[in-house]
Amino acid sequence: MPLGARAGGLTALAGALLAGSLSSGPAAPPGGASPAPPGVRAEASALPGLDPDAPKADPDAVAARLLGPLSDPVLGGPATLVVDALTGQVLLANRPTEPTAPASTVKIATATAALTALDPDTRLRTRVVYLPPASAPPAATAGSPAATTGSAAAPGRAPLAPGGTLWLVGAGDPTLTAATGAAGYPPAARLSDLAEQVRKAGITAVGAVVGDGTAYEGPGMAPGWRDGYVTDGNVTPVSALSVDAGRATPGAAGPRSLTPDAAAAAAFRTALTAAGVSVGSVSTGRADAAAREVGSVQSPPIPVLVERMLTDSDNDLAESLGRQVAIARRLPASFDGATRGVLGALRDAGIPTDGASLRDTSGLSIDNRIAPATLVAALRTAALPGHPALRTVLSGLPVAGFTGTLGDRYGPGDTSPGAGVVRAKTGSLRIVTSLAGMVTDSDGRLLLFGLFAPVEEQGLTKMALDRVAAALASCGCPPAGAGPPSAGPPAPPGG
């Protein structure tokens, strides 16, 4: 796309936000956003569409343009697939149907499955249930006067007798947080809100708080996961109950908890104490069926969770969304159920999964195998008309030089042509470095690609993959001998 055609990037981005094709964060503070600091790009392309009038790229021309970047020895001969998003024409292919280790690019499959299998209005609901001591009157339930007024108990009723048990019952929301400051975007469910609901139900003391993460089953770690994933802060063992995804404090880097349900129960005790509810012991276990609900909070809706998973490459969200797909498809909420559910949902959407074998839905397992053609087909399904629910797959992809795991890439230099126009999911393990997404070439044609280098990620490896994607972005690749496209008649007044 000529430079002039990209000059209106901010206007196009604003238009896309108003049209609902991209998610926006919270409103800017009074006075508007601060200007970008020197050296920071102030333009990103809107979510691209399919332009049937844009000149088609020629396979031979694409191959010639990418020959140099793909031949970089640091890439080790990557599996490659480039297709025209509108027509599906294969423009370049190297082992496209051979199952390969995807690393985190498998999150494209997880996102597609979640958006097809789950209702977009679904929210993951964390509950608090209470079983009073035998001598105490029953607790007020959510919606009763005791739960909605500011008093400690309903009018005419004394607070409940001390004792009894509270269960914090997880439904798989890893964004549940112990934070008490200003809400971020998307606003997460909070333990402090649950604690206030408990206090308003008239409960001033309990003998025990119990964390219940039993909505998910099976082991918390998948085959092919390194033992160091938890201590390195990549993921917490999968549980239906966690707070801040097992981090020691909200947003903290470093090791995660090996027992996220127990850590969540301990964090809830802290929140209860701050709300004026005294707590005895803390443990984990399944909630008593006779316990009554006294509070609940909800996650953001599924499409927002999917977008965050893709942009930030959030492993905890990916594993939880996989289990939600399993539950929706009446499969066990385990690694096995999640992977079967995701692949089944892809097939139901008409996406081929030949040869795929997954051990998790985050991409952390070195045992995962999936064909580049499967992930590119998922991207094309999202890009084509007729699947509006899947647009989140595209809007959630990190934007080169701007957001998520591509925010610090495509700076000045030979990768800069991709800044703002490459949108792609990253992936890295000790056996693969990958990049899969979309790019609008310099003629305005939307191309989809998957690049899978069978080498461990290093700075040079990522930059080499970025050069390939940047070469696609700068590719006006008509057939040999074809001249530049006609500019056409002038636009009428008003654009």
Side-chain angles (χ1 to χ4, degrees), residues 128-133 136-142 144 146-147 154 157-161 163 165-166 197-198 200-204 206 290-295:
V128 177
V129 297
Y130 176 67
L131 191 66
T141 57
S144 70
R157 177 194 288 178
L160 295 178
T165 303
L166 284 172
Q197 291 176 46
V198 169
K200 288 179 180 179
I203 301 169
T204 58
V206 293
R292 297 188 180 190
E293 182 174 314
V294 293

Side-chain angles (χ1 to χ4, degrees), residues 155-373:
R157 177 194 288 178
L160 295 178
T165 303
L166 284 172
W167 281 268
L168 180 64
V169 184
D173 178 13
T175 68
L176 178 67
T177 183
T180 57
Y185 180 83
R190 295 184 172 220
L191 288 181
S192 57
D193 292 337
L194 282 172
E196 287 295 334
Q197 291 176 46
V198 169
R199 184 68 181 83
K200 288 179 180 179
I203 301 169
T204 58
V206 293
V209 164
V210 183
D212 181 355
T214 60
Y216 292 167
E217 57 189 270
M221 304 276 284
W225 282 19
R226 285 193 301 108
D227 291 340
Y229 281 160
V230 176
T231 55
D232 290 346
N234 299 116
V235 71
T236 196
V238 182
S239 169
L241 177 63
S242 66
V243 171
D244 294 304
R247 294 175 176 86
T249 57
R256 308 283 191 91
S257 173
L258 289 166
T259 53
D261 52 353
F268 189 41
R269 174 174 59 183
T270 300
L272 287 167
T273 300
V277 180
S278 63
V279 177
S281 65
V282 174
S283 62
T284 61
R286 188 181 299 274
D288 192 303
R292 297 188 180 190
E293 182 174 314
V294 293
S296 68
V297 290
Q298 298 183 106
S299 75
I302 291 297
V304 176
L305 297 180
V306 167
E307 193 167 59
R308 172 171 163 173
M309 173 195 69
L310 289 169
T311 302
D312 297 337
S313 199
D314 191 309
N315 297 312
D316 304 278
L317 268 172
E319 295 301 342
S320 187
L321 287 168
R323 281 157 177 74
Q324 294 299 319
V325 171
I327 292 169
R329 294 178 67 87
R330 300 183 183 279
L331 294 167
S334 62
F335 282 109
D336 179 66
T339 55
R340 286 194 287 143
V342 165
L343 293 177
L346 294 185
R347 288 190 290 270
D348 288 351
I351 298 167
T353 63
D354 297 351
S357 175
L358 300 181
R359 298 291 179 263
D360 66 26
T361 56
S362 64
L364 286 173
S365 176
I366 61 172
D367 298 333
N368 287 332
R369 296 293 183 270
I370 196 167

Side-chain angles (χ1 to χ4, degrees), residues 397-417:
L397 295 173
V399 181
F402 285 87
T403 63
T405 55
L406 287 182
D408 61 352
R409 292 162 64 170
Y410 296 83
D414 53 4
T415 64
S416 62

Side-chain angles (χ1 to χ4, degrees), residues 102-108 313 315 362-364 425-429 434:
S104 279
T105 58
V106 83
K107 291 183 174 76
I108 293 170
S313 199
N315 297 312
S362 64
L364 286 173
K425 184 70 201 73
T426 56
S428 62
L429 291 173
S434 54

Side-chain angles (χ1 to χ4, degrees), residues 25-117:
S34 301
V40 175
R41 292 175 295 277
E43 177 183 321
S45 66
L47 190 62
L50 299 170
D51 182 359
D53 297 325
K56 295 180 182 179
D58 177 69
D60 291 338
V62 171
R65 176 62 63 93
L66 299 188
L67 177 62
L70 286 173
S71 298
D72 191 324
V74 304
L75 293 178
T80 304
L81 181 60
V82 181
V83 306
D84 184 295
L86 180 60
T87 67
Q89 181 186 16
V90 175
L91 302 174
L92 184 65
N94 180 33
R95 309 192 304 277
T97 60
E98 180 180 315
T100 187
S104 279
T105 58
V106 83
K107 291 183 174 76
I108 293 170
T110 304
T112 303
L115 293 169
T116 55

